[in-house]
Amino acid sequence: MDSSFYVSTVRANYDNIQLFIINGTRLEMTHSFRDMMKHEYFFKLVVDTLMVGLNNAWEFDSTKALTLYKRYRRKDALRALNMVFNQNEQSIGGYTYSNNHFVIFITLDKGEDFKAAQMVYEDEFLDPTRFKWFTKSPRTIDSPEVKLLKSSEDWNIHLFVKRRYSKKDNEIDFYYLGEMTPDIKTIRQLQKMTTQGIKRNVVEMEFNLKDTVEPNMYEFLTGE
């Protein structure tokens, strides 16, 4: 409820309009927010915002941090899982891990507008229960995240997917497809060509999803 989740450069954008502060175990309104709440129209807007939020909350499973097939931005997913967030949203990239949570964000069809990737990644569904994934490059079997995934009994691995990247659509949300476990025997190191024509090490592996992807969602994401 306060701005402590955000990295300092982002937090600066919110400091002047911060609504709450944490005082010990108490959550308190800031003085500026108290003053604003004295204005009738502003008070009405706050109540309206809260009511919309409460109404939307019925669509989510309140017993879990994340709800299957709901859409999340990268930073919102990390915040829901109480993960460390010390970077801007774009720097998270395809995956990050902390506090026993490993989250993977996949864009299935990057399209012609996507210029950020230095390598063509062939992340894909093998079927509604299995997913093939590549690490960032350069990575090897001995890279920290690969070692973690090879011994991930104490970690929760989450998959978020969106179907395509498009500047026009400006789609920034990912669908949450639940938790999954790596198939250890599929983990292998290989080399892939970068867009500059240089070969780099990456690690490929397959995951088993705990929840079979619902048919309509699977067709929507894959077109199959």
Side-chain angles (χ1 to χ4, degrees), residues 141 146 150 182-189 203-205:
I141 290 293
V146 178
K150 289 173 69 176
D183 185 346
I184 304 301
K185 67 179 182 295
T186 67
I187 299 177
R188 66 187 184 108
Q189 180 180 321
V203 176
E204 174 191 31
M205 67 186 74

Side-chain angles (χ1 to χ4, degrees), residues 43-186:
F43 180 83
K44 181 180 179 181
L45 292 176
V46 171
V47 171
D48 185 58
T49 300
L50 291 173
M51 295 304 295
V52 170
L54 289 170
N55 184 64
N56 290 340
W58 287 106
E59 301 177 7
F60 290 79
D61 185 349
S62 62
T63 66
K64 298 178 181 179
L66 299 166
T67 300
L68 206 60
Y69 306 135
K70 290 301 181 184
R71 296 189 300 175
Y72 297 86
R73 293 183 63 171
R74 289 182 176 92
K75 65 179 181 180
D76 294 329
L78 269 59
R79 178 163 45 190
L81 294 169
N82 196 30
M83 295 176 66
V84 175
F85 184 73
N86 55 7
Q87 54 200 319
N88 62 50
E89 194 165 9
Q90 286 71 31
S91 297
I92 296 172
Y95 60 89
T96 186
Y97 52 96
S98 63
N99 293 349
N100 296 100
H101 291 287
F102 194 114
V103 294
I104 297 176
F105 298 95
I106 299 294
T107 302
L108 291 174
D109 180 4
K110 295 179 175 62
E112 297 180 356
D113 292 336
F114 193 79
K115 307 296 184 183
Q118 297 183 0
M119 182 179 293
V120 177
Y121 292 94
E122 297 162 328
D123 305 314
E124 61 178 348
F125 283 101
L126 301 177
D127 60 47
T129 66
R130 291 178 66 82
F131 194 85
K132 184 173 73 172
W133 175 74
F134 292 85
T135 62
K136 300 172 185 176
S137 69
R139 296 293 190 275
T140 70
I141 290 293
D142 295 319
S143 294
E145 64 265 49
V146 178
K147 287 183 176 180
L148 184 158
L149 291 169
K150 289 173 69 176
S151 303
S152 59
E153 295 82 4
D154 297 327
W155 287 75
N156 302 300
I157 305 168
H158 306 269
L159 178 63
F160 296 82
V161 176
K162 65 179 176 181
R163 56 179 180 169
R164 68 167 61 95
Y165 174 87
S166 169
K167 279 185 178 180
K168 181 179 179 181
D169 295 342
N170 195 30
E171 186 177 335
I172 57 176
D173 295 337
F174 294 79
Y175 290 92
Y176 179 55
L177 300 186
E179 295 186 33
M180 56 187 185
T181 55
D183 185 346
I184 304 301
K185 67 179 182 295
T186 67

